[in-house]
């Protein structure tokens, strides 16, 4: 709304003020108050400049009477900004001394002060585009100048006010400070920005915070639309990268003297909030003069006593802010500024600039309306012939040296804003040089008085400015893109201040948009001087200390995501970096170390003959096999004895051979699993064991049938004999063979590497293929054993001298116990111990059969041969 009102007023002002009777007419218009400060250097072509040298302090306007003229007493000068004026003067001097750039043309300049005030900014802008003698908008009387372009202003609000006027006249504007804020209702201003894009600066600040891992930061800005835009930009941008804001402080701008008390009261609260915060990094955004108010903060604390060693913060300043001071701040403590990190537009020192500054004094600066005021404020002295009445202070001699001034008042090196003005002047001259030498319809006309350009054609300079590209005398490339923005980056400077008010900048990094993405931001952290509070160690700015590797973050309920607890990684997971959001599992072939920080490669393992367990099991298998072989030899050697004949000699041989093979089959489970061993181990074990159990079953049934056949008139006699026993063994074994054959056809066992069962090992094993078929094999053996146990148990009291059913009952009881306990034990163990459980079950059950059935017989054969007698057998039967 304010913008629309300003435009309406300006359009009304553009109406011609008087009708001239001849081509030369005199305008009689009442001029506003004359500015206090101006600097004119005449030439064939003029560059206008809106400087910002001082801030006016005045009371609010009542609009009931004409505002009084400004007085020097109302001015708070910013001495450091005088270098901006000298930078333009130096650039114009160089351009006029270069016969190749603007031959036969003298470049001049007109400089006015904006006083950081809208009224005086509009006034100065109108003076630049109007006649020199009279203030008549849009009516040129006795035109004596050719205005090429206007450089200004320093702050975004000043630049916007200048652009509002210049857009109507299509006069090129080169902004050397922060660019005007545009929105949907802002006209399409065409200005040229000597400062890189704001977005690039915010990206650089983000990289800076991420580099130092500062995730808990604060912001300090002005309470205006520019501060709003800053907060709206950086908060979502930084949050995307895991940075939270501990506080967002907003300080108000002051326009009138009556607002100072309110500013100081709020400033005290802001200072205390910042200093009491855990966040050590504070991003400060503001206009160029914001530093003069920032320096008030240590003096505004509401605390009763200030610490002898003020608490330090890492102040990260945006590019617009300079280390400036008002004259009354000459002796103020600079401790708060020590170690500031400032993003600034890239700058350089043109050759001869420092010598130019050293030669400046009020006596050789004719026409400079700023230098006297600057000299008095900077050196704290008075020129008696320039002030009325008695004024306290030392006399100024004019021979004071600029190089002796402290940094907050003046710098001998060209500051970034001065460098922008220097480049802006050269850009205008280069663009005009290209335009004057190009083949366009409207050519300049060179006369004896120099080059004379038709005023209505000045808008053509826009086209040449957009495409301008040149190297300045400092060796830097200067060019604009199609949006009128300079193609440049930002430097990161570290402010080092000393107790004597001296100050120096140390370049510690830069943000280069032309570099590859991974090299766009560089920082030399070893070159940074931190605030004394941190004892020259890198500060930390986090809400919660980093979660070490081996733990992960757990966000606290109701607090920003940067505030969290650290929880150890659960079993089987690791975190190998700090502040990980979650732990993760290792790859299958690796496992977590003890501290859950790295993944260690698993070692391959299997039950081998080289390890104690494998050696022990193999030794037991060979030992039992050897014992079985001895038993078999004993039975073969005593095959004609009654005890061997009475217990079915062929079944006994078959049982002993199957037990021998059972012990040897356990060896298939030891060693590196391969395809052949995997196919054989379970099927061989199942078939051989089925033969053994079938033999036991056949023995039991034979005993029962033999007893029943002795009864008078029994029909069972025809079933007693070797044929029945052989049929039982063959049929029962054949069923197991069919089951194993189907297993091998449907889903046979195969070598496999189990990476999940054991945390630290890759178990090389034989995968059973079909688990159902495996348990079918075991189930069938269990069925045979259960039938044998039942029959033997029922026949245990039969009156037979060599009745085996008692021993078979014990052997089957042991057999069933072993394999019933095998199932849960097998399922509860992992890795190679599963194999060892199965081997143990094979050996234990086989040994149970061997011991329970054959040990009594061996005892009689070897130790009690007198009992192995046929007559004794007959007497016992009778």
């Amino acid at each position: 709304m304010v913008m629309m009102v300003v435009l309406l007023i300006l359009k009304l002002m553009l109406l011609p003020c008087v009708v001239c009777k001849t081509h030369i007419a005199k305008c009689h218009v009442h001029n506003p108050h004359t500015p206090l400060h101006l600097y004119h250097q005449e030439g064939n072509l003029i560059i206008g400049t809106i400087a910002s040298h001082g801030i006016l302090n005045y009371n609010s306007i009542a609009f009931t009477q004409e505002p009084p003229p400004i007085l020097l007493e109302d001015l708070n000068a910013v001495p450091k900004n005088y270098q901006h004026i000298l930078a333009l003067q130096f650039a114009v001097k160089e351009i006029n001394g270069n016969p190749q750039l603007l031959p036969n043309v003298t470049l001049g300049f007109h400089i006015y002060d904006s006083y950081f005030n809208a009224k005086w900014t509009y006034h100065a802008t109108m003076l630049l585009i109007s006649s020199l003698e009279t203030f008549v908008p849009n009516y040129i009387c006795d035109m004596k100048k050719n205005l090429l372009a206007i450089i200004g202003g320093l702050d975004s609000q000043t630049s916007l006010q200048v652009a509002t006027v210049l857009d109507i006249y299509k006069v090129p504007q080169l902004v050397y400070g922060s660019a005007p804020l545009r929105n949907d209702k802002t006209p399409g201003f065409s200005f040229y920005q000597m400062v890189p894009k704001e977005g690039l600066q915010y990206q650089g600040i983000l990289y800076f915070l991420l580099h130092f891992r500062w995730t808990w930061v604060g912001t300090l800005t002005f309470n205006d639309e520019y501060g709003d835009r800053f907060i709206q930009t950086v908060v979502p941008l930084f949050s995307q990268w895991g940075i939270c804001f501990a506080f967002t402080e907003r300080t108000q701008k002051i326009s009138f003297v009556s607002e100072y008390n309110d500013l100081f009261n709020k400033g005290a609260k802001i200072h205390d909030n910042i200093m009491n915060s855990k966040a050590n990094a504070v991003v400060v955004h503001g206009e160029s003069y914001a530093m003069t108010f920032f320096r008030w903060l240590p003096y505004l604390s509401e605390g009763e006593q200030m610490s002898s060693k003020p608490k330090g913060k890492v102040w990260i300043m945006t590019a617009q802010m300079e280390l400036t001071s008002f004259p009354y701040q000459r002796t103020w403590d600079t401790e708060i500024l020590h170690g500031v990190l400032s993003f600034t537009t890239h700058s350089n020192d043109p050759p001869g600039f420092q010598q130019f500054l050293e030669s400046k004094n009020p006596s050789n600066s004719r026409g400079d309306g700023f230098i006297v005021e600057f000299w008095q404020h900077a050196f704290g002295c008075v020129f008696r012939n320039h002030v009325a009445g008695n004024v306290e202070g030392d006399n100024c001699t004019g021979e004071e040296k600029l190089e002796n001034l402290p940094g907050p008042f003046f710098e001998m090196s060209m500051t970034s804003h001065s460098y922008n003005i220097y480049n802006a002047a050269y850009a205008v001259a280069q663009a005009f040089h290209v335009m004057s030498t190009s083949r366009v319809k409207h050519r300049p006309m060179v006369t004896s008085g120099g080059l004379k350009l038709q005023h209505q054609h000045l808008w053509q300079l826009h086209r040449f400015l957009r495409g301008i590209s040149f190297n300045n005398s400092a060796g830097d490339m200067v060019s604009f893109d199609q949006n009128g923005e300079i193609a440049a980056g930002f430097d990161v400077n570290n402010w080092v201040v000393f107790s004597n008010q001296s100050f120096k900048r140390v370049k510690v990094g830069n943000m280069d948009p032309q570099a590859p993405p991974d090299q766009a931001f560089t920082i030399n952290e070893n070159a940074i001087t931190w605030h004394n509070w941190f004892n020259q160690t890198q500060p930390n700015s986090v809400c919660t200390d980093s979660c070490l590797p081996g733990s992960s973050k757990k966000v606290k309920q109701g607090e920003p995501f940067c505030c969290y607890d650290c929880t150890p990684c659960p079993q089987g997971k690791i975190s190998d970096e700090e502040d990980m959001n979650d732990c993760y599992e290792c790859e299958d072939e690796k496992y977590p170390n003890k501290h859950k920080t790295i993944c260690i490669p698993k070692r391959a393992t299997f039950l081998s003959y080289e390890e104690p367990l494998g050696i022990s099991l193999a030794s037991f298998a060979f030992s039992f096999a050897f014992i079985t072989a001895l038993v078999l030899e004993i039975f073969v050697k005593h095959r004609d004895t009654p005890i061997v004949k009475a217990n079915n000699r062929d079944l006994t041989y078959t049982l002993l051979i199957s037990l021998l093979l059972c012990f040897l089959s356990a060896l298939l489970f030891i060693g590196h699993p391969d395809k052949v061993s995997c196919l054989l181990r379970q099927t061989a074990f199942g078939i051989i064991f089925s033969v053994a159990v079938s033999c036991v079953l056949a023995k039991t049934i034979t005993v029962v049938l033999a007893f029943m056949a002795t009864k008078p008139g029994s029909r069972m006699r025809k079933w007693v004999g070797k044929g029945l026993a052989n049929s039982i063994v063959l049929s029962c074994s054949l069923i197991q063979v069919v089951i194993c054959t189907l297993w091998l056809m449907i889903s046979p066992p195969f070598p496999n590497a189990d990476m999940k069962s054991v945390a630290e090992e890759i178990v090389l094993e034989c995968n059973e293929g079909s688990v159902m078929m495996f348990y079918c094999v075991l189930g069938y053996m269990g069925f045979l054993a259960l039938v044998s146990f039942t029959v033997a148990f029922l026949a245990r009291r039969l009156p037979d001298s060599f009745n085996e059913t008692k021993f078979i009952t014990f052997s089957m009881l042991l057999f069933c116990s072993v394999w019933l306990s095998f199932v849960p034990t097998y399922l509860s163990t992992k890795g190679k111990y599963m194999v060892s459980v199965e081997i143990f079950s094979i050996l234990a059950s086989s040994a149970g059969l061997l011991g329970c059935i054959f040990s009594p017989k061996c005892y009689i054969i070897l130790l009690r041969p007198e009992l192995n007698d046929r007559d004794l057998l007959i007497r016992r039967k009778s």
Side-chain angles (χ1 to χ4, degrees):
M1 185 66 182
V2 174
M3 182 69 67
M4 301 304 295
V5 172
V6 171
L7 291 175
L8 179 60
I9 294 172
L10 290 172
K11 289 180 179 179
L12 293 173
M13 292 170 64
L14 296 178
L15 296 175
C17 61
V18 65
V19 178
C20 298
K21 295 182 180 180
T22 62
H23 292 290
I24 300 176
K26 299 297 180 183
C27 299
H28 302 283
V29 180
H30 177 68
N31 285 326
H33 300 297
T34 305
L36 284 177
H37 306 93
L38 54 88
Y39 188 2
H40 288 179
Q41 179 176 307
E42 298 306 323
N44 303 119
L45 299 173
I46 297 297
I47 295 178
T49 302
I50 303 294
S52 296
H53 181 245
I55 299 177
L56 288 176
N57 298 320
Y58 54 91
N59 294 312
S60 57
I61 302 174
F63 293 100
T64 57
Q65 59 184 2
E66 181 182 355
I70 59 173
L71 303 175
L72 290 176
E73 291 78 8
D74 300 327
L75 181 68
N76 260 334
V78 185
K80 192 167 189 173
N81 290 356
Y82 180 65
Q83 195 197 80
H84 304 167
I85 297 168
L86 298 181
L88 178 64
Q89 184 185 5
F90 179 72
V92 170
K93 178 183 177 182
E94 279 193 343
I95 293 169
N96 288 334
N98 185 357
Q100 304 298 323
L101 187 55
L102 295 179
N104 302 320
V105 175
T106 301
L107 189 63
F109 55 80
H110 289 173
I111 304 175
Y112 292 99
D113 199 342
S114 70
Y115 300 110
F116 295 98
N117 177 271
K119 168 190 170 183
W120 289 103
T121 300
Y122 283 118
H123 185 196
T125 306
M126 298 303 296
L127 286 175
L128 288 173
I129 61 177
S130 301
S131 172
L132 186 61
E133 288 88 0
T134 54
F135 184 77
V136 185
N138 204 35
Y139 199 91
I140 301 175
C141 299
D142 299 332
M143 186 180 74
K144 295 182 180 179
K145 67 177 186 292
N146 289 314
L147 181 67
L148 275 180
I150 290 181
I151 301 174
L154 175 58
D155 294 318
S156 51
Q157 190 64 40
T158 301
S159 299
L160 180 61
Q161 292 156 359
V162 174
T164 303
V165 178
L166 296 186
D167 187 63
I168 300 171
Y169 292 91
K170 305 304 179 187
V171 176
Q173 176 188 1
L174 291 90
V175 177
Y176 67 92
S178 55
L181 182 63
R182 308 188 196 201
N183 53 47
D184 296 338
K185 297 181 180 180
T186 305
F189 297 141
S190 56
F191 51 81
Y192 303 89
Q193 196 171 322
M194 303 306 299
V195 177
K197 299 177 182 178
E198 285 287 311
L200 179 64
Q201 177 181 200
Y202 300 150
Q203 192 74 31
I205 296 175
L206 172 62
Y207 287 158
F208 188 86
L209 296 176
L210 293 176
H211 176 82
F212 290 105
R213 305 183 71 176
W214 294 337
T215 58
W216 190 240
V217 302
T219 59
L220 174 61
T221 186
F222 280 114
N223 190 20
D224 58 12
E225 57 182 336
Y226 296 94
D228 292 340
R229 180 65 62 91
F230 169 74
I231 296 298
Q232 293 168 6
T233 302
V234 300
V235 169
L237 175 64
F238 290 6
S239 298
Q240 290 175 2
W241 290 88
I243 296 174
C244 304
F245 291 85
F247 58 84
T248 301
E249 296 293 345
R250 311 286 292 271
T251 182
Q252 68 182 53
K253 287 184 176 180
I254 56 171
S255 301
F256 308 107
V257 175
S258 58
E259 297 175 347
Y260 270 94
N261 287 334
D262 190 30
L263 173 67
F264 291 158
N265 291 332
K266 290 184 177 180
K269 295 179 181 178
I270 289 173
H271 176 267
D272 291 341
N273 289 341
I274 293 176
M275 290 303 168
N276 293 332
S277 172
K278 191 178 179 181
N280 286 326
V282 184
V283 181
V284 186
H285 172 270
E287 300 292 5
S288 61
Y289 58 86
M291 186 56 65
T292 58
F293 297 107
F294 181 76
R295 295 191 65 186
W296 273 97
L297 291 181
Y299 299 93
L300 300 177
S301 175
E302 292 182 337
E304 295 181 1
Q305 294 181 352
M306 292 195 60
S307 173
S308 58
K309 186 179 180 182
K311 184 177 180 180
K313 295 289 181 181
V314 180
W315 305 101
I316 304 171
M317 306 288 183
T318 53
Q320 184 64 5
M321 300 179 67
E322 286 279 1
L323 178 50
T324 56
S325 292
F326 287 131
Y328 62 80
Q329 296 174 315
R330 185 184 306 276
T331 60
W332 285 20
D333 184 27
T334 56
E335 175 70 17
I336 191 174
L337 304 175
H338 186 58
V340 164
L341 292 159
S342 172
F343 279 76
T344 59
T345 308
H346 174 71
S347 61
N348 215 334
D349 266 341
F353 181 67
Q354 290 197 13
Q355 291 78 2
F356 172 77
L357 295 182
E358 291 170 357
S359 66
K360 293 299 295 184
N361 61 66
S363 61
N364 62 8
S365 301
R366 184 171 57 88
D368 186 348
F370 294 87
I371 190 168
V372 171
E373 200 69 34
F374 157 75
W375 209 269
Q376 293 184 138
H377 283 94
F379 290 102
C381 59
V382 178
F383 287 103
R384 299 295 175 182
N385 56 339
H386 283 83
V387 294
N390 295 324
V391 180
E392 294 183 0
D394 298 332
N395 290 332
C396 293
T397 64
E399 300 300 323
E400 292 84 1
K401 300 297 183 182
L402 293 178
E403 56 265 32
N404 294 333
L405 288 173
F409 283 87
F410 197 82
E411 290 187 55
M412 296 301 291
S413 297
M414 186 173 279
T415 64
S416 58
H417 288 133
S418 297
Y419 193 63
N420 294 340
I421 293 174
Y422 177 82
N423 286 331
Y426 262 98
V428 172
Q430 291 281 357
F432 182 78
H433 173 75
V434 174
M435 184 177 73
S436 63
T437 56
S438 63
R439 296 181 179 180
V440 295
K441 181 177 179 180
H442 301 286
R443 286 184 177 274
M445 296 178 295
V446 180
T447 64
S448 59
L451 187 147
K452 182 179 179 182
L453 183 70
Q454 297 297 326
H455 183 76
Q456 63 268 29
H457 298 153
L458 282 176
W459 60 268
Q460 294 180 353
L461 194 64
H462 283 285
R463 181 163 63 92
F464 297 96
L465 272 171
R466 274 191 168 80
I468 198 67
S469 179
F470 63 93
N471 287 325
N472 62 16
S473 61
D476 291 331
M477 171 69 72
V478 180
S479 62
F480 296 104
D481 59 21
Q482 291 303 310
N483 296 323
E485 295 172 333
I486 195 168
F490 290 93
D491 291 338
V492 183
N493 290 325
N494 185 209
W495 295 359
V496 182
V497 296
F498 304 95
S499 56
N500 61 354
Q501 298 287 320
S502 60
F503 155 80
K504 72 173 182 178
R505 303 172 188 266
V506 179
K507 182 179 176 181
V508 296
N510 72 292
M511 183 72 185
D512 185 3
Q514 277 78 40
D518 59 334
Q519 302 175 13
F521 178 77
T522 58
I523 190 73
N524 179 13
E525 54 187 81
N526 295 326
I528 298 177
T529 299
W530 304 108
H531 192 278
N532 296 329
W533 173 269
F534 303 112
N535 294 323
Q536 206 43 43
T537 59
Q538 180 184 313
N540 199 17
S541 187
V542 294
C543 180
T544 305
D545 291 335
S546 296
C547 292
L548 299 176
S551 61
S552 61
K553 297 191 297 186
K554 181 180 179 181
V555 177
K556 293 181 179 179
Q557 200 68 25
E559 295 190 24
F561 61 85
C562 294
C563 302
Y564 47 81
D565 293 321
C566 297
T567 57
C569 290
Q571 191 65 32
K573 292 187 176 183
I574 71 158
S575 63
D576 53 1
E577 296 178 3
E578 291 185 353
D579 292 333
M580 293 191 66
N581 292 322
D582 197 6
C583 302
Y584 65 91
E585 293 182 351
C586 293
E587 299 174 354
D588 288 342
E589 65 273 11
K590 296 181 180 180
Y591 70 98
N593 66 340
K594 178 181 179 181
H595 302 290
K596 302 176 183 178
T597 56
I598 59 173
C599 291
I600 303 174
K602 294 180 178 180
R603 65 181 186 276
T605 182
F606 57 91
L607 186 61
S608 68
Y609 290 103
E610 286 78 19
E611 60 183 301
L613 181 60
I615 294 174
S616 301
L617 292 174
S619 300
F620 280 117
F622 280 117
S623 299
F624 283 122
F626 179 72
I627 294 172
T628 306
L630 287 178
V631 173
L632 178 60
E633 183 182 2
I634 291 172
F635 271 71
V636 171
K637 185 176 180 180
H638 298 83
R639 61 185 176 274
D640 295 326
T641 59
I643 196 168
V644 176
K645 289 181 178 181
N647 287 283
N648 196 326
R649 186 168 48 192
D650 293 336
L651 274 181
T652 300
Y653 294 160
T654 304
L655 177 57
L656 285 172
I657 292 172
S658 62
L659 288 177
L660 174 64
L661 294 177
C662 282
F663 288 124
L664 295 178
S665 69
L667 300 176
L668 292 173
F669 292 83
I670 305 175
H672 191 286
D674 55 34
K675 188 174 182 181
V676 175
S677 63
C678 288
L679 290 173
L680 289 178
R681 60 170 58 170
Q682 297 292 0
T683 54
F685 148 71
I687 293 172
I688 294 170
F689 245 92
S690 296
V691 172
V693 178
S694 299
C695 291
V696 174
L697 178 61
K699 273 179 169 291
T700 307
I701 293 175
T702 300
V703 171
V704 173
L705 290 177
F707 174 77
M708 295 177 66
T710 59
K711 294 180 179 182
S714 175
R715 298 180 180 179
M716 294 296 176
R717 293 182 180 182
K718 62 180 178 180
W719 295 101
V720 178
K722 296 182 179 180
L724 177 62
N726 293 337
S727 299
I728 292 174
V729 172
L730 289 175
S731 59
C732 292
S733 302
L734 184 62
I735 294 174
Q736 187 71 290
V737 170
V738 172
I739 294 174
C740 291
T741 303
L742 291 175
W743 185 6
L744 296 178
M745 292 175 61
I746 296 172
S747 179
F750 58 90
N752 183 47
D754 182 5
M755 299 183 182
K756 295 184 178 297
S757 297
V758 182
E760 302 178 5
E761 298 175 350
I762 299 176
V763 180
L764 302 180
E765 62 177 9
C766 287
N767 189 296
E768 308 305 344
S770 174
V771 177
M772 183 185 71
M773 296 302 295
F774 172 67
Y775 285 108
C776 284
V777 170
L778 292 181
Y780 180 68
M781 287 192 304
F783 170 73
L784 291 179
L786 184 62
V787 172
S788 297
F789 171 76
T790 303
V791 174
F793 179 79
L794 295 175
R796 71 188 183 282
R797 298 187 182 276
L798 292 178
D800 192 349
S801 299
F802 298 102
N803 188 2
E804 291 183 293
T805 54
K806 293 179 181 179
F807 306 118
I808 291 174
T809 300
F810 286 115
S811 66
M812 287 297 102
L813 181 62
L814 178 61
F815 184 92
C816 292
S817 300
V818 168
W819 287 104
L820 284 175
S821 62
F822 162 77
V823 175
T825 307
Y826 183 81
L827 294 176
S828 62
T829 54
K830 297 178 181 179
K832 61 185 179 182
Y833 298 104
M834 295 179 68
V835 180
S836 63
V837 167
E838 188 168 0
I839 294 174
F840 175 80
S841 299
I842 293 172
L843 297 178
S845 58
S846 301
L849 290 177
L850 180 65
C852 291
I853 295 176
F854 292 100
S855 59
K857 296 178 177 62
C858 290
Y859 172 76
I860 293 175
I861 293 172
L862 297 177
L863 300 179
R864 300 293 299 275
E866 68 276 9
L867 298 179
N868 191 6
D869 182 74
R870 186 172 180 275
D871 294 336
L872 181 62
L873 174 63
I874 294 173
R875 281 199 304 269
R876 294 184 63 182
K877 280 185 177 182
S878 61

